[in-house]
Amino acid sequence: MPHTHDHGHCIDTAMAAARRLCEERGARLTPVRRRVLELVWANHKPTGAYELLPQLAQDGFNSAPPTVYRALDFLLELGLIHRISSLNAFIGCDHPGSAHPTGFFICHKCGEATELPPDELSALAERLEALLGVRVEGETHELTGLCSNCRKAA
Amino acid sequence: MPHTHDHGHCIDTAMAAARRLCEERGARLTPVRRRVLELVWANHKPTGAYELLPQLAQDGFNSAPPTVYRALDFLLELGLIHRISSLNAFIGCDHPGSAHPTGFFICHKCGEATELPPDELSALAERLEALLGVRVEGETHELTGLCSNCRKAA
DNA sequence: CGTAGAATTGCTACATTATAACCTAAGGTG
DNA sequence: CACCTTAGGTTATAATGTAGCAATTCTACG
């Protein structure tokens, strides 16, 4: 997806969604939280918590780990970002607000992550509930491989 | 699954599979590696690397982190165990040897993890390849919720 | 055999990721 | 304003994972 879209639009949409969600829930989108969200949205690649520290410092924010993790926890809680555990990294959510199962495809060539279609994940979860007799309450799906752009390039 | 099966059998099967695989590939199932595999298989719950250290020490093995991680890496490589990244933990593989996509369901009540049916995961991967135009090369699926035993108990 | 090369382990130090605990400041509400 | 709740600052430390190099063990091959 590199350079194939107007990324400013992605950021704007994300920030607007964040403002709306916070308003709805009576939560405060403080400067640190807003900035962290912007930084996570700076591109479509998963971002590590410690990568954010120097960037926050540059903006004059406090930049000790707890500050970043608190902001990230807040954003996770509201569903504005997701955590990619296999990378210890975070990425913006494409459609925050609506509860949905999440998963990502991460290209090992360009590093970009794409959110997986929730429908497919729900379908899987339902099948598994039926097959295994379990109740699914949370799910993480992290696929890797070559994205369509990188496939074309190769 | 607690107390509902002869777990000794699970361990025996796993160890036999390990011996067979190592023989096939000309790899060495050394004492540390064997012991680490046994410990991971001690139950059906994901085990952290650092939990293994004291247990290895008790058996007279070296117990510095690199020792454990090297053994774990070896076992991962051979597909004898899997890593659960959302828990930073490891768990024995149900059917090592055959290449298969893997995923787990982890019960948040009893802590036990069950391997997901590979067929379902393959089906998802194929659909996603078609939908997104990507090539899937690796996948991690980590679901949480209530397992069937714990559901009955509740 | 015996010795060269590869694989394995021991060991120390360190890197990376994440959290605890406690205090201060800011905002919201009566 | 006075209170309370939430957010942020700060220090220290926990938890997880690796680098790098020396010493040993194994294996293959002459």
Side-chain angles (χ1 to χ4, degrees), chain A residues 1-2 4 46 52 70 74 128 136-137:
Chain A
M1 207 177 286
T4 64
L52 300 172
R70 283 193 286 231
F74 172 85
L128 293 173
V136 174
E137 294 171 3

Side-chain angles (χ1 to χ4, degrees), chain B residues 56-71:
Chain B
L56 283 180
Q58 217 166 8
D59 297 339
F61 288 101
N62 174 41
S63 71
T67 298
V68 171
Y69 279 102
R70 284 194 286 230

Side-chain angles (χ1 to χ4, degrees), chain A residues 28 49-50 65-66 69-70 83 88:
Chain A
R28 289 158 56 194
Y50 277 70
Y69 280 103
R70 283 193 286 231
R83 184 191 156 89
N88 293 326

Side-chain angles (χ1 to χ4, degrees), chain A residues 72-92:
Chain A
L72 291 170
D73 286 346
F74 172 85
L75 298 170
L76 282 170
E77 194 98 10
L78 266 79
L80 292 166
I81 61 173
H82 297 298
R83 184 191 156 89
I84 308 215
S85 16
S86 58
L87 300 176
N88 293 326
F90 302 84
I91 191 162

Side-chain angles (χ1 to χ4, degrees), chain A:
Chain A
M1 207 177 286
H3 305 150
T4 64
H5 71 298
D6 173 10
H7 188 61
H9 180 63
C10 296
I11 301 185
D12 292 348
T13 308
M15 300 311 293
R19 280 190 297 274
R20 184 178 41 72
L21 250 180
C22 284
E23 187 141 356
E24 269 178 38
R25 316 254 181 119
R28 289 158 56 194
L29 193 59
T30 61
V32 203
R33 291 169 174 175
R34 179 179 13 255
R35 190 69 186 120
V36 167
L37 183 56
E38 281 168 8
L39 290 171
V40 166
W41 266 106
N43 54 45
H44 289 278
K45 302 178 190 184
T47 307
Y50 277 70
E51 283 177 58
L52 300 172
L53 293 179
Q55 309 191 63
L56 283 180
Q58 218 167 6
D59 298 338
F61 287 101
N62 174 42
S63 72
T67 299
V68 170
Y69 280 103
R70 283 193 286 231
L72 291 170
D73 286 346
F74 172 85
L75 298 170
L76 282 170
E77 194 98 10
L78 266 79
L80 292 166
I81 61 173
H82 297 298
R83 184 191 156 89
I84 308 215
S85 16
S86 58
L87 300 176
N88 293 326
F90 302 84
I91 191 162
C93 174
D94 280 350
H95 34 289
S98 65
H100 61 281
T102 53
F104 290 88
F105 177 85
I106 304 138
C107 178
H108 60 61
K109 181 107 177 297
C110 67
E112 302 215 338
T114 316
E115 202 158 342
L116 302 176
D119 292 356
E120 301 294 327
L121 302 180
S122 308
L124 175 67
E126 277 169 32
R127 280 195 57 75
L128 293 173
E129 288 190 330
L131 279 169
L132 306 177
V134 302
R135 168 183 291 285
V136 174
E137 294 171 3
E139 41 190 306
T140 310
H141 305 268
E142 295 165 13
L143 312 202
T144 57
L146 260 196
C147 74
S148 64
N149 283 310
C150 290
R151 284 183 75 180
K152 281 174 214 150

